[in-house]
């Protein structure tokens, strides 16, 4: 990577990111009582998974109690992240999403693995958490989020800058911006998410093969693609500096 890329990213990501893009990671509410380090930094609290409707209701009630205890202990929570029970109908999912309104004092982030669930999120002010493991499934979800203008975060990738065994954070954020600007379909976007080569950088644009992405498109797409695991959009300049780039 070049200093030009670092300067470009610094310009694109210099505004305060939305709350759910906290770069400080996540904590599991079941373990919240034993956490002390989170009193000085904001976290995203992850709720317990549920295998059925009955478990869902019971775990949400317990999560509400855990979250209240977490707040009373002086911890800083920016978001509450949860997965919906597998195998639920669209009607069940919509009802479960309605039940999450009780957590609206923080950002509510819903783990999404199938496109049809996004239709429920579209009608609510929730953020989608997208799995990174399969580039094509991820690309299908991102394309739908962009179409619905649903904000999202990436889960399970982004530890390196570019794809090398796992999808890199620049693939995710720059790829999303290319998909947004060029109206890519899922298969085209999956190829961008997977590419370690073919990138060119200047102080005013990023290009991948025939796609050229200028600063305004990067900034605009950033407000939908909020963060990758451990790397928020606002944190990228510092992340690049840690890697030895001279900003």
């Amino acid at each position: 990577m070049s200093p030009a890329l670092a300067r470009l990213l610094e310009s694109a990501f210099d505004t305060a990111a939305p709350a759910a893009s906290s770069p400080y990671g996540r904590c599991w509410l079941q373990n919240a009582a034993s956490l002390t380090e989170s009193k000085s930094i904001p976290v995203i609290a992850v709720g317990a998974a549920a295998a059925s409707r009955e478990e869902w209701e019971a775990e949400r009630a317990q999560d509400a109690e855990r979250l209240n205890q977490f707040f009373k202990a002086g911890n800083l929570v920016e978001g509450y992240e949860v997965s919906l029970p597998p195998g639920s109908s669209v009607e069940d999912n919509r009802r479960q999403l309605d039940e999450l309104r009780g957590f609206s004092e923080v950002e509510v982030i819903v783990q999404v693995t199938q496109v049809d669930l996004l239709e429920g999120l579209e009608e609510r002010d929730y953020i989608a958490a997208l799995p990174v493991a399969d580039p094509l499934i991820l690309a299908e979800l991102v394309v739908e989020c962009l179409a619905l203008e649903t904000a999202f975060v990436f889960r399970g990738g982004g530890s390196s800058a570019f794809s090398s065994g796992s999808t890199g954070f620049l693939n995710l954020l720059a790829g999303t911006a290319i998909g947004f600007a060029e109206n890519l379909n899922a298969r085209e976007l999956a190829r961008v998410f997977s590419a370690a080569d073919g990138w060119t950088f200047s102080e005013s644009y990023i290009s991948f093969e025939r796609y050229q992405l200028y600063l305004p498109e990067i900034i605009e797409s950033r407000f939908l693609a909020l963060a990758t695991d451990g790397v928020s959009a606002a944190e990228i300049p510092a992340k690049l500096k840690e890697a030895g780039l001279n900003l």
Side-chain angles (χ1 to χ4, degrees), residues 18-143:
S21 63
S22 167
Y24 302 114
R26 299 178 290 168
C27 73
W28 275 255
L29 274 174
Q30 298 97 314
N31 303 326
S34 63
L35 293 174
T36 57
E37 68 275 10
S38 57
K39 290 187 177 182
S40 60
I41 59 174
V43 297
I44 292 176
V46 181
S52 68
R53 169 76 181 174
E54 292 73 21
E55 284 188 19
W56 164 269
E57 293 178 348
E59 291 294 355
R60 297 297 69 76
Q62 290 189 45
D63 276 352
E65 293 181 7
R66 293 168 181 145
L67 201 56
N68 285 334
Q69 292 173 1
F70 208 34
F71 278 128
K72 288 178 181 177
N75 292 291
L76 305 175
V77 182
E78 291 192 348
Y80 172 68
E81 184 171 333
V82 67
S83 59
L84 300 185
S88 299
S89 67
V90 173
E91 183 179 343
D92 282 341
N93 283 337
R94 288 178 180 273
R95 186 162 50 245
Q96 289 149 5
L97 290 172
D98 280 334
E99 292 167 358
L100 292 176
R101 293 185 187 278
F103 294 89
S104 60
E105 61 199 68
V106 296
E107 297 278 8
V108 178
I109 305 165
V110 180
Q111 296 174 16
V112 175
T113 57
Q114 56 196 49
V115 169
D116 56 2
L117 180 57
L118 290 169
E119 296 175 3
L121 293 187
E122 178 191 11
E123 300 170 3
R124 298 159 177 84
D125 190 22
Y126 297 155
I127 293 166
L130 309 182
V132 173
D134 185 317
L136 183 56
I137 293 175
L138 173 65
E140 291 171 349
L141 294 170
V142 169
V143 166

Side-chain angles (χ1 to χ4, degrees), residues 115 134-147 175-176 178-180 182-194 211:
V115 169
D134 185 317
L136 183 56
I137 293 175
L138 173 65
E140 291 171 349
L141 294 170
V142 169
V143 166
E144 189 68 10
C145 283
L146 294 177
T176 296
I178 291 173
F180 176 81
E182 299 286 345
N183 196 27
L184 299 186
N185 63 39
R187 194 162 295 279
E188 292 168 332
L189 183 55
R191 194 168 62 84
V192 181
F193 283 156
S194 304
Y211 306 118

Side-chain angles (χ1 to χ4, degrees), residues 143-218:
V143 166
E144 189 68 10
C145 283
L146 294 177
L148 298 174
E149 297 187 353
T150 297
F152 57 93
V153 296
F154 294 107
R155 293 288 181 246
S159 59
S160 59
F162 286 106
S163 292
S164 179
S166 63
T167 304
F169 67 79
L170 287 179
N171 291 84
L172 295 173
L173 295 173
T176 296
I178 291 173
F180 176 81
E182 299 286 345
N183 196 27
L184 299 186
N185 63 39
R187 194 162 295 279
E188 292 168 332
L189 183 55
R191 194 168 62 84
V192 181
F193 283 156
S194 304
D197 303 311
W199 298 88
T200 303
F201 308 103
S202 82
E203 293 187 31
S204 59
Y205 67 85
I206 295 174
S207 67
F208 172 73
E209 295 181 351
R210 67 183 179 87
Y211 306 118
Q212 198 163 70
L213 181 69
Y214 286 88
L215 191 60
E217 287 113 357
I218 299 172

